[in-house]
Amino acid sequence: MGSAVDVLNFDPYAQTTNAIIVLRLLNAWLLTYDEDLNPQLDTLAGYELSDDRTTCTLKLRDDVVFTTGKTMTAEDVVFAFERAMNPETGFNLASPSQIIESVSSPEPLLVELKFKGPTSQTLVEDLLVGQPVVDKDHNSAEGLATTPASAGPYRLVSRTAGQSLTLEANPDWYGGEVETQRIELRIFTDTRALTSGLESGALDLAVYVPPRDGQRLQEKFEYLDSYPGSATMLLRVSAITPPFDQKSLRQALWHSVNRDRIVEEVLFGFGGAAALPWGPNSPAQDDSYDDRVQYDLEAAKALLEDVSVAAGAAMVNGSDPISISVMQIIQADLASIGFDLQIEQVDAATFQDRLVAGDFGVVLGQMGGGQLSLPRITQNSLFRLSNNPLWPDGVPPQAYVEAIETLTSEQDEKARQAAFDQLNDVIVDEAWAIGTYYVPQLYMFKPELKGVARDHQNALVLDKASF
């Protein structure tokens, strides 16, 4: 298979776009999700949440062997959680692990998690699905920089940075024998060379094919698009940057996003239109909100009548042609109703720094995890409960905070549904996180290659793939 993105390291705690290519090939997890987000045991033999939902007891399998040759123990899992809980070492896992008060092993093959308060089952299961198991003697950013040390279906044979990566079936994998015994990942310098490799037959599978090329290739090749809601592009709007501190202007933006046109013309039919920030499988998704946020320039124009300033700035990543095209569509529609949206292109590093700091008026920015338990959205800077860069004094609307707190701790379905409704109401009314589209991530492969899959976060799953 081929990719125009290199794998920079083998640390499953740093779940970057680069690492996701081999994330599920080389690593093992406590739980996994199936296509419908139902939890499935992986390296756990079972788990139990206490009646008061403050403790979760994990029972480990006794046949999990790391690629280092060591059999997994409770000490490895305790250390794995402790690393995740440390903000300096946990990377992507640090934020979701902050619900944990302590972790210990009361006896062999048992691990006990104590939470800081009552925690919903869905949030606990998200935590377990996201937690890799790694040989504790190698479980550090340094130890995993060049060599994996987990227990996935494949193990590393060789790697030449910027050129290739070779994997072979793990003979000790607890999941049984894999279909394909050897995988070679070739790194290409650009997407044109990548798609040429697929078309020529040199590649069986191509990773992250651009939508424009995907449109051309989809008649000849099979493809997998991203898991719905795993990455949602939002129009982030600062409530402290004039003139977007005026709520009526922010609300007008809901009606100024032509989602269908964006999907058709910019994404070439891939991904999908997203109104609310959540994935279609999320319990928070509610189609009844479509009318409230639909593309309607007349409604937007009416809201702009209450706006004192008819111009504002939008920041875009100058190296992201899709975001530029999308913002230009929004810019043109706003201009047609009398608002001048000025586009400022910045380099990628500046874009990322300013995105996290909230140093913008309007920006297109991805949000991950919209398909999972809703409290996880607070890992994103625009949804923080405190130190939120888009709100005065760092404090988002109280109704939003209350809804997230309820969903964190409440198990009663009626109370949770009321919290979902409250969450959607405040997000639509305050209009600081405006859904635009589901971000496509395309895997394209030969029709005769069967069993190719991707998980809920778009990591390739190939243990059943074969010709």
Coordinates of all heavy atoms in Angstrom, one line a residue, residues 241-292:
T241 N -14.2 38.5 19.5 CA -13.5 39.2 18.4 C -14.6 40.0 17.6 O -15.4 39.4 17.0 CB -12.8 38.3 17.5 OG1 -11.8 37.5 18.2 CG2 -12.1 39.1 16.4
P242 N -14.5 41.3 17.7 CA -15.5 42.1 16.9 C -15.3 41.9 15.4 O -14.2 41.7 14.9 CB -15.2 43.6 17.3 CG -14.4 43.5 18.6 CD -13.7 42.2 18.5
P243 N -16.4 41.9 14.6 CA -17.8 42.1 15.0 C -18.5 40.9 15.4 O -19.7 40.9 15.6 CB -18.4 42.8 13.8 CG -17.7 42.0 12.7 CD -16.3 41.8 13.1
F244 N -17.8 39.7 15.5 CA -18.5 38.5 15.8 C -18.9 38.3 17.2 O -19.5 37.3 17.6 CB -17.5 37.3 15.3 CG -17.2 37.4 13.9 CD1 -15.9 37.9 13.5 CD2 -18.1 37.1 12.9 CE1 -15.6 38.0 12.2 CE2 -17.7 37.2 11.5 CZ -16.5 37.6 11.2
D245 N -18.6 39.3 18.1 CA -19.1 39.3 19.4 C -20.6 39.6 19.4 O -21.3 39.5 20.5 CB -18.4 40.3 20.3 CG -18.3 41.7 19.7 OD1 -18.6 41.9 18.5 OD2 -18.0 42.6 20.5
Q246 N -21.2 40.0 18.3 CA -22.6 40.2 18.1 C -23.3 38.9 17.7 O -23.0 38.3 16.7 CB -22.9 41.3 17.1 CG -22.2 42.6 17.4 CD -22.4 43.6 16.3 OE1 -23.5 44.2 16.0 NE2 -21.3 43.8 15.5
K247 N -24.2 38.4 18.6 CA -24.8 37.1 18.4 C -25.6 37.0 17.1 O -25.6 36.0 16.4 CB -25.7 36.7 19.6 CG -26.2 35.3 19.5 CD -26.7 34.8 20.8 CE -28.0 35.4 21.2 NZ -28.6 34.7 22.4
S248 N -26.2 38.1 16.7 CA -27.0 38.0 15.5 C -26.2 37.8 14.3 O -26.6 37.1 13.3 CB -27.9 39.3 15.3 OG -27.0 40.4 15.3
L249 N -24.9 38.3 14.3 CA -24.0 38.0 13.2 C -23.6 36.5 13.2 O -23.6 35.9 12.1 CB -22.8 38.9 13.3 CG -21.6 38.6 12.3 CD1 -22.1 38.6 10.9 CD2 -20.5 39.6 12.5
R250 N -23.3 36.0 14.4 CA -22.9 34.6 14.5 C -24.1 33.7 14.0 O -23.9 32.7 13.3 CB -22.5 34.2 15.9 CG -21.3 35.0 16.4 CD -20.7 34.3 17.6 NE -21.6 34.1 18.7 CZ -21.9 35.0 19.7 NH1 -21.3 36.2 19.7 NH2 -22.7 34.7 20.7
Q251 N -25.3 34.1 14.4 CA -26.5 33.3 13.9 C -26.6 33.4 12.4 O -27.1 32.4 11.8 CB -27.7 33.8 14.7 CG -27.7 33.5 16.2 CD -28.9 34.1 16.9 OE1 -29.4 35.1 16.4 NE2 -29.3 33.5 18.0
A252 N -26.3 34.6 11.9 CA -26.4 34.7 10.4 C -25.5 33.7 9.7 O -25.8 33.3 8.6 CB -26.1 36.1 10.0
L253 N -24.4 33.4 10.3 CA -23.4 32.5 9.6 C -24.0 31.1 9.5 O -23.6 30.4 8.5 CB -22.1 32.5 10.4 CG -21.3 33.8 10.4 CD1 -20.1 33.7 11.3 CD2 -20.9 34.2 9.0
W254 N -24.9 30.7 10.4 CA -25.5 29.4 10.3 C -26.2 29.3 8.9 O -26.1 28.2 8.2 CB -26.6 29.2 11.3 CG -26.2 28.6 12.7 CD1 -26.2 29.3 13.9 CD2 -25.7 27.3 12.9 NE1 -25.8 28.5 14.9 CE2 -25.5 27.3 14.3 CE3 -25.4 26.2 12.2 CZ2 -25.0 26.1 15.0 CZ3 -24.9 25.1 12.8 CH2 -24.7 25.0 14.2
H255 N -26.8 30.4 8.5 CA -27.6 30.4 7.3 C -26.8 30.7 6.0 O -27.4 30.8 4.9 CB -28.8 31.3 7.4 CG -29.7 31.0 8.5 ND1 -30.5 29.8 8.6 CD2 -30.0 31.6 9.7 CE1 -31.2 29.8 9.7 NE2 -30.9 30.9 10.4
S256 N -25.5 31.0 6.2 CA -24.7 31.4 5.1 C -23.7 30.3 4.6 O -22.8 30.6 3.8 CB -23.8 32.6 5.5 OG -24.7 33.7 6.0
V257 N -23.9 29.1 5.1 CA -23.0 28.0 4.7 C -23.8 27.1 3.8 O -24.7 26.4 4.2 CB -22.5 27.2 6.0 CG1 -21.6 26.1 5.5 CG2 -21.8 28.1 6.9
N258 N -23.4 27.1 2.5 CA -24.1 26.2 1.5 C -23.4 24.9 1.5 O -22.5 24.5 0.7 CB -24.0 26.9 0.1 CG -24.8 26.2 -0.9 OD1 -25.2 25.0 -0.7 ND2 -25.2 26.9 -1.9
R259 N -23.8 24.0 2.5 CA -23.2 22.7 2.7 C -23.3 21.8 1.5 O -22.3 21.1 1.2 CB -23.8 22.1 4.0 CG -23.6 23.0 5.2 CD -24.4 22.4 6.4 NE -24.2 23.3 7.6 CZ -24.9 24.4 7.8 NH1 -25.8 24.8 6.9 NH2 -24.6 25.2 8.8
D260 N -24.4 21.8 0.9 CA -24.6 20.9 -0.3 C -23.6 21.3 -1.4 O -23.0 20.4 -2.1 CB -26.0 20.9 -0.7 CG -26.9 20.2 0.2 OD1 -26.5 19.4 1.1 OD2 -28.1 20.5 0.2
R261 N -23.5 22.5 -1.6 CA -22.6 23.0 -2.7 C -21.1 22.7 -2.3 O -20.4 22.2 -3.2 CB -22.7 24.5 -2.9 CG -21.8 25.0 -4.0 CD -21.9 26.6 -4.1 NE -20.9 27.0 -5.1 CZ -20.5 28.3 -5.2 NH1 -21.1 29.3 -4.5 NH2 -19.6 28.6 -6.1
I262 N -20.8 22.8 -1.1 CA -19.4 22.5 -0.7 C -19.1 21.1 -0.9 O -18.0 20.7 -1.4 CB -19.2 22.9 0.8 CG1 -19.2 24.5 1.0 CG2 -17.9 22.3 1.4 CD1 -19.4 24.9 2.4
V263 N -20.0 20.2 -0.5 CA -19.8 18.7 -0.7 C -19.7 18.4 -2.1 O -18.8 17.6 -2.5 CB -20.9 17.9 0.0 CG1 -20.8 16.5 -0.3 CG2 -20.8 18.1 1.6
E264 N -20.5 19.0 -2.9 CA -20.6 18.6 -4.4 C -19.4 19.2 -5.1 O -18.7 18.5 -5.9 CB -21.9 19.2 -5.0 CG -22.1 18.8 -6.4 CD -22.2 17.3 -6.6 OE1 -22.7 16.6 -5.7 OE2 -21.9 16.8 -7.8
E265 N -19.0 20.5 -4.9 CA -18.0 21.1 -5.7 C -16.6 21.1 -5.2 O -15.7 21.0 -6.0 CB -18.4 22.6 -5.9 CG -19.7 22.8 -6.7 CD -20.0 24.3 -6.9 OE1 -19.1 25.2 -6.6 OE2 -21.1 24.6 -7.4
V266 N -16.5 21.0 -3.9 CA -15.1 21.0 -3.3 C -14.7 19.6 -2.8 O -13.5 19.3 -3.0 CB -15.1 22.0 -2.1 CG1 -13.7 22.1 -1.5 CG2 -15.6 23.4 -2.5
L267 N -15.7 18.9 -2.3 CA -15.3 17.5 -1.8 C -15.7 16.4 -2.8 O -15.5 15.3 -2.5 CB -16.0 17.3 -0.5 CG -15.8 18.3 0.6 CD1 -16.5 17.9 1.9 CD2 -14.3 18.4 0.9
F268 N -16.2 16.8 -4.0 CA -16.6 15.9 -5.1 C -17.5 14.8 -4.6 O -17.3 13.6 -5.0 CB -15.3 15.4 -5.7 CG -14.4 16.5 -6.3 CD1 -13.4 17.1 -5.5 CD2 -14.7 16.9 -7.6 CE1 -12.7 18.1 -6.1 CE2 -13.9 18.0 -8.1 CZ -12.9 18.6 -7.3
G269 N -18.4 15.1 -3.7 CA -19.4 14.1 -3.3 C -19.0 13.3 -2.1 O -19.8 12.5 -1.6
F270 N -17.7 13.4 -1.6 CA -17.3 12.6 -0.5 C -17.5 13.3 0.8 O -17.9 14.5 0.8 CB -15.8 12.3 -0.6 CG -15.5 11.4 -1.8 CD1 -14.8 12.0 -2.9 CD2 -15.9 10.1 -1.9 CE1 -14.5 11.2 -4.0 CE2 -15.6 9.3 -3.0 CZ -14.9 9.9 -4.1
G271 N -17.3 12.7 2.0 CA -17.6 13.3 3.3 C -19.1 13.4 3.4 O -19.8 12.4 3.4
G272 N -19.6 14.6 3.6 CA -21.0 14.8 3.7 C -21.3 16.1 4.4 O -20.5 16.7 5.1
A273 N -22.5 16.6 4.2 CA -22.9 17.9 4.8 C -23.1 17.7 6.3 O -23.7 16.7 6.7 CB -24.2 18.4 4.2
A274 N -22.7 18.6 7.1 CA -22.8 18.5 8.6 C -23.4 19.8 9.1 O -22.8 20.9 8.9 CB -21.5 18.2 9.2
A275 N -24.6 19.8 9.7 CA -25.2 21.0 10.3 C -24.7 21.1 11.7 O -23.9 22.0 12.1 CB -26.7 20.9 10.2
L276 N -25.2 20.2 12.6 CA -24.7 20.1 13.9 C -23.3 19.5 14.0 O -22.9 18.8 13.0 CB -25.6 19.3 14.8 CG -27.0 19.9 15.0 CD1 -27.9 18.9 15.7 CD2 -27.0 21.2 15.8
P277 N -22.5 19.7 15.0 CA -21.1 19.2 15.0 C -21.0 17.7 15.2 O -19.9 17.2 15.0 CB -20.5 19.9 16.3 CG -21.4 21.1 16.6 CD -22.8 20.7 16.1
W278 N -22.1 17.0 15.5 CA -22.0 15.6 15.8 C -22.1 14.7 14.6 O -22.7 15.0 13.6 CB -23.1 15.2 16.8 CG -23.5 16.4 17.7 CD1 -24.8 16.9 17.8 CD2 -22.7 17.2 18.5 NE1 -24.8 17.9 18.6 CE2 -23.6 18.2 19.1 CE3 -21.4 17.2 18.8 CZ2 -23.1 19.2 20.0 CZ3 -20.9 18.2 19.7 CH2 -21.8 19.1 20.3
G279 N -21.6 13.5 14.7 CA -21.8 12.5 13.7 C -23.2 12.0 13.6 O -23.9 12.1 14.6
P280 N -23.6 11.4 12.5 CA -25.0 10.9 12.3 C -25.3 9.8 13.3 O -26.5 9.6 13.5 CB -25.0 10.5 10.9 CG -23.6 10.3 10.4 CD -22.8 11.3 11.2
N281 N -24.3 9.1 13.8 CA -24.6 8.0 14.8 C -24.6 8.5 16.2 O -24.9 7.7 17.1 CB -23.6 6.9 14.6 CG -23.8 6.1 13.3 OD1 -24.8 6.2 12.7 ND2 -22.7 5.4 13.0
S282 N -24.3 9.8 16.4 CA -24.3 10.3 17.8 C -25.7 10.4 18.3 O -26.6 10.8 17.6 CB -23.6 11.7 17.8 OG -23.8 12.3 19.1
P283 N -25.9 10.1 19.6 CA -27.2 10.3 20.2 C -27.6 11.7 20.3 O -28.8 12.1 20.5 CB -27.1 9.7 21.6 CG -25.6 9.7 21.9 CD -24.9 9.5 20.6
A284 N -26.7 12.7 20.1 CA -27.0 14.1 20.1 C -27.5 14.6 18.8 O -28.0 15.7 18.7 CB -25.8 14.9 20.6
Q285 N -27.3 13.8 17.7 CA -27.7 14.2 16.4 C -29.3 14.3 16.4 O -30.0 13.4 16.8 CB -27.3 13.2 15.3 CG -27.5 13.7 13.9 CD -26.9 15.0 13.6 OE1 -27.5 16.0 13.5 NE2 -25.6 15.0 13.4
D286 N -29.8 15.4 15.8 CA -31.2 15.7 15.8 C -31.6 16.4 14.5 O -31.3 17.6 14.4 CB -31.6 16.5 17.0 CG -33.1 16.7 17.2 OD1 -33.8 16.5 16.2 OD2 -33.5 17.0 18.3
D287 N -32.2 15.7 13.6 CA -32.5 16.2 12.3 C -33.5 17.4 12.4 O -33.7 18.2 11.4 CB -33.1 15.2 11.4 CG -32.0 14.1 11.0 OD1 -30.8 14.4 11.2 OD2 -32.4 13.0 10.6
S288 N -34.2 17.5 13.5 CA -35.2 18.6 13.6 C -34.6 20.0 13.6 O -35.2 21.0 13.5 CB -36.1 18.4 14.9 OG -35.3 18.6 16.1
Y289 N -33.2 20.0 13.9 CA -32.5 21.3 13.9 C -32.2 21.7 12.5 O -31.7 22.9 12.3 CB -31.3 21.2 14.7 CG -31.5 21.2 16.2 CD1 -31.9 20.1 16.9 CD2 -31.5 22.4 16.9 CE1 -32.1 20.1 18.3 CE2 -31.7 22.5 18.3 CZ -32.1 21.3 18.9 OH -32.3 21.3 20.3
D290 N -32.4 20.9 11.5 CA -31.9 21.2 10.1 C -32.6 22.5 9.7 O -31.9 23.4 9.0 CB -32.3 20.1 9.2 CG -31.3 18.9 9.3 OD1 -30.4 19.0 10.1 OD2 -31.6 17.9 8.7
D291 N -33.9 22.7 9.9 CA -34.6 23.9 9.5 C -34.0 25.2 10.2 O -34.0 26.3 9.6 CB -36.1 23.8 9.8 CG -36.8 22.8 8.8 OD1 -36.2 22.5 7.8 OD2 -37.9 22.4 9.2
R292 N -33.6 25.0 11.4 CA -33.1 26.2 12.2 C -31.7 26.6 11.7 O -31.4 27.8 11.9 CB -33.0 25.9 13.7 CG -34.4 25.7 14.4 CD -34.2 25.4 15.8 NE -33.5 26.4 16.6 CZ -33.2 26.3 17.9 NH1 -33.6 25.2 18.6 NH2 -32.5 27.2 18.5

